[in-house]
């Protein structure tokens, strides 16, 4: 649907014919402008009607003049990042949007989280995306899958205690642990005979028994790796139970972080780079480890921005400055990931979600204005996409299958408030964008659509 409706916009593009004199005097022909794309992805942006917001979504309720301006001047629609009806994770959503079919390439999110946390991987390694959790040792019930959401102070210390843990039954295998963010860490296992064809130990919900790792196929490697993983869990639990931090937390009446849930076992992927796939030299700004790991796997340059934390305390202005500074250099494509809005959905805080949406809207305004000033020099043209990877409704506290709003616009049109004749949408939200000229489409169409729009 996206491509069929999109033709209208392409057909109204201005003529690219050279002026009369240039046809006879080629030395006077104009140098083509560099066309660049910046994709801003607001993690977990989509939502549903919230009673406390007068049955509006947080995006409808928020004051978003710049997001609305992008919608008014560009093309809009609704995006199913992987496919309709799928409540996907951020990892598969990003892969699909970047042009990598998850059903072909996806092998678990553990490798992404671990690489993003700073642990390099090589063929044969396996890795897990992990939670520090609180478990009742007697009943083996995972009381809280997140031992504490405010884990930044103790997470690195506990990871240091686990790093290099020895597995008595598997002396030829090494274990590396790296702190990621909040209650999360990456765990890598290296050694012979490993496979990612295993389940994890996460029960998925609180107050359920710990899950034993089992093989997901009948190979000897899967049976071997599942046994190793169960011993890895027990080894971690013993180290954590004896750690002074947990003894102090127990005395204070707090949940102890006495368990590491091993999730999403994955192996190192071999995929074409973004430059090979799309012809774009690309950068990524994404402090969230799992997203950073995807970018690294895809050969994107990962930019480290001081103050960009991937949580409520992140410095949006620092991210914006870094995106602007780099997109005007030798890059063709920039990707800016914004995480805080997703956290508000998981925390079920509607007012906080509105607050961060409005902060991001201000940041987008700064980006548009500064890119317009760069465009005025006559050497570059910028196209801007704003969308999300999935919905995280504050009423549910988790990912859901609702599609997310999508807008694409040229910076020059946005600054001139030049509306799109074929797209009636003037507000950027889940309801209005349903009427957009792009219709409802899947993530694998984002990059082809962007390439066509950039030429219009």
């Amino acid at each position: 649907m996206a491509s069929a409706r999109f033709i209208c916009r392409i057909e109204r593009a201005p003529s690219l014919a050279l002026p009369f004199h240039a046809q006879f005097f080629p030395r006077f022909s104009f140098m083509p402008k560099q066309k660049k794309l910046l994709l801003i992805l607001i993690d977990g942006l989509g939502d549903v009607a919230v009673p406390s917001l007068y049955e509006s979504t947080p995006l409808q309720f928020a004051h978003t003049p710049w997001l609305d301006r992008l919608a008014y001047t560009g093309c809009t629609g609704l995006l199913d990042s992987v496919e309709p009806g799928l409540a996907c994770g951020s990892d598969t959503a990003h892969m699909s949007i970047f042009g990598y079919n998850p059903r072909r390439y996806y092998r678990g999110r553990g490798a992404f989280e671990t690489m993003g946390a700073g642990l390099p991987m090589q063929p044969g390694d396996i890795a897990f995306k992990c939670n520090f959790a609180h478990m009742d040792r007697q009943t083996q019930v995972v009381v809280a899958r997140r031992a504490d959401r405010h884990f930044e102070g103790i997470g690195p210390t506990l990871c240091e205690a686990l790093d290099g843990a020895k597995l008595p039954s598997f002396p030829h295998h090494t274990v590396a642990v790296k702190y990621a963010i909040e209650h999360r860490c990456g765990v890598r296992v290296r050694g012979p005979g490993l496979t990612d064809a295993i389940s994890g130990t996460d029960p998925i919900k609180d107050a359920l028994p710990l899950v034993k790792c089992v093989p997901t196929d009948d190979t000897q490697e899967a049976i071997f790796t599942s046994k190793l993983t169960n011993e890895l869990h027990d080894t971690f639990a013993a180290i954590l139970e004896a750690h002074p931090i947990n003894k102090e937390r127990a005395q204070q009446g707090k949940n102890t972080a006495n368990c590491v849930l091993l999730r999403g076992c994955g192996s190192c992927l071999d995929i074409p780079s973004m430059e090979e796939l799309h012809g774009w030299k690309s950068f990524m700004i994404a402090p969230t480890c799992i997203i950073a790991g995807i970018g690294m796997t895809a050969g994107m340059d990962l930019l480290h921005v001081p103050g960009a934390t991937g949580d409520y305390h992140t410095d949006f202005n620092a991210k914006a400055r870094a995106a602007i500074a780099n997109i005007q250099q030798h890059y063709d494509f920039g990707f800016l990931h914004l995480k805080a809005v997703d956290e508000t959905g998981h925390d079920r805080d509607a007012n906080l979600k509105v607050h961060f949406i409005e902060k991001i809207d201000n940041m987008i305004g700064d980006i548009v204005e500064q890119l317009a000033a760069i465009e005025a020099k006559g050497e570059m043209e910028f196209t801007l996409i704003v969308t999300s990877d999935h919905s995280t409704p504050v009423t549910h506290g988790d990912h859901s299958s609702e599609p997310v709003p999508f807008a694409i616009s040229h910076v020059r049109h946005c600054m001139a408030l030049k509306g799109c004749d074929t797209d009636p949408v003037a507000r950027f939200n889940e309801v209005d964008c349903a009427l957009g000229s792009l219709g409802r489409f899947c993530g694998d169409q984002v990059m082809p659509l962007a390439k066509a729009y950039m030429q219009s």
Side-chain angles (χ1 to χ4, degrees):
M1 182 182 293
S3 58
R5 296 189 177 192
F6 186 60
I7 293 174
C8 298
R9 184 61 187 260
I10 297 176
E11 288 178 346
R12 54 190 291 273
S15 171
L16 298 180
L18 290 173
F20 178 80
H21 65 78
Q23 298 178 35
F24 295 93
F25 301 97
R27 63 183 181 276
F28 293 112
S29 61
F30 297 103
M31 290 292 292
K33 294 181 180 180
Q34 301 175 56
K35 297 180 182 292
K36 296 170 179 274
L37 174 66
L38 179 62
L39 196 164
I40 300 175
L41 190 140
I42 308 171
D43 201 309
L45 177 63
D47 216 297
V48 297
V50 180
S52 64
L53 301 180
Y54 305 99
E55 300 301 331
S56 298
T57 71
L59 190 52
Q60 287 179 300
F61 192 82
H63 178 60
T64 56
W66 284 101
L67 286 169
D68 295 344
R69 194 165 181 156
L70 285 168
Y72 173 69
T73 60
C75 292
T76 61
L78 290 179
L79 174 68
D80 293 289
S81 54
V82 178
E83 61 187 36
L86 179 65
C88 60
S90 292
D91 47 1
T92 52
H94 281 74
M95 290 183 72
S96 180
I97 290 170
F98 288 156
Y100 301 96
N101 185 347
R103 297 195 182 281
R104 176 181 177 186
Y105 291 111
Y106 187 66
R107 298 291 299 175
R109 65 194 312 175
F112 298 142
E113 181 87 12
T114 300
M115 290 175 66
L119 287 175
M121 292 190 65
Q122 63 188 34
D125 294 348
I126 60 169
F128 300 89
K129 169 185 168 68
C130 302
N131 282 15
F132 280 99
H134 174 63
M135 181 180 68
D136 185 318
R137 295 297 299 274
Q138 291 185 332
T139 63
Q140 294 286 291
V141 169
V142 178
V143 179
R145 293 177 62 249
R146 302 177 177 95
D148 195 327
R149 290 300 291 267
H150 305 289
F151 212 69
E152 296 83 359
I154 62 176
T157 303
L158 293 179
C159 285
E160 287 179 11
L162 299 177
D163 187 39
K166 305 297 182 183
L167 304 179
S169 303
F170 302 90
H172 300 297
H173 292 76
T174 61
V175 177
V177 181
K178 192 86 169 181
Y179 179 67
I181 189 173
E182 295 177 332
H183 55 282
R184 303 186 185 112
C185 65
V187 173
R188 183 194 69 204
V189 182
R190 176 170 291 171
L194 299 175
T195 177
D196 56 18
I198 60 170
S199 69
T201 63
D202 183 7
I204 306 302
K205 293 185 178 181
D206 292 344
L208 291 177
L210 181 76
V211 177
K212 284 291 184 183
C213 178
V214 296
T216 56
D217 64 28
D218 297 329
T219 63
Q220 289 299 312
E221 290 82 2
I223 296 170
F224 175 85
T225 306
S226 64
K227 291 179 180 178
L228 180 147
T229 301
N230 287 321
E231 183 167 315
L232 177 64
H233 171 271
D234 294 343
T235 301
F236 280 172
I239 294 171
L240 292 172
E241 188 71 20
H243 200 282
I245 284 178
N246 278 320
K247 291 183 177 179
E248 182 180 348
R249 289 178 68 87
Q251 292 174 354
Q252 296 171 345
K254 298 179 179 179
N255 281 347
T256 57
N258 63 351
C259 170
V260 173
L261 299 178
L262 302 166
R263 311 165 53 200
C265 182
S267 54
C268 189
L269 297 182
D270 182 16
I271 61 175
S273 69
M274 286 288 285
E275 191 162 5
E276 292 170 333
L277 196 62
H278 300 297
W280 292 336
K281 184 168 178 58
S282 308
F283 72 83
M284 171 183 280
I285 300 173
T288 305
C289 291
I290 191 166
I291 309 304
I294 294 171
M296 294 167 67
T297 303
M300 302 174 73
D301 288 346
L302 187 62
L303 306 183
H304 297 280
V305 180
T309 58
D311 56 21
Y312 291 155
H313 308 292
T314 197
D315 187 339
F316 291 113
N317 292 328
K319 286 186 173 183
R321 289 192 298 270
I324 294 164
N326 284 277
I327 195 65
Q328 63 180 302
Q329 301 300 325
H330 56 284
Y331 292 104
D332 308 299
F333 172 63
F335 179 78
L336 176 56
H337 180 262
L338 305 171
K339 177 66 174 173
V341 168
D342 182 59
E343 295 298 303
T344 65
H346 287 294
D347 288 341
R348 300 175 181 242
D349 193 326
N351 291 327
L352 195 59
K353 190 164 189 176
V354 170
H355 169 73
F356 277 107
I357 288 172
E358 292 180 343
K359 286 191 71 170
I360 289 171
D361 184 79
N362 289 332
M363 180 208 73
I364 289 173
D366 291 340
I367 289 175
V368 170
E369 290 179 333
Q370 293 186 54
L371 291 182
I374 297 168
E375 275 195 352
K377 300 176 183 178
E379 298 176 355
M380 302 177 189
E381 289 182 353
F382 297 101
T383 299
L384 191 62
I385 291 176
V386 178
T387 190
S388 184
D389 51 351
H390 55 74
S391 295
T392 308
V394 296
T395 54
H396 304 342
D398 207 346
H399 300 183
S400 69
S401 59
E402 286 81 12
V404 295
F406 178 98
I408 181 170
S409 182
H410 294 300
V411 165
R412 63 183 184 278
H413 291 166
C414 189
M415 287 301 296
L417 267 180
K418 181 181 179 182
C420 176
D421 297 339
T422 61
D423 194 298
V425 175
R427 292 202 62 202
F428 183 80
N429 59 58
E430 303 90 339
V431 177
D432 286 62
C433 286
L435 302 175
S437 61
L438 301 179
R440 184 169 175 175
F441 60 101
C442 295
D444 60 358
Q445 297 183 54
V446 169
M447 289 303 174
L449 187 154
K451 292 174 185 177
Y453 189 92
M454 290 169 71
Q455 302 307 316
S456 67

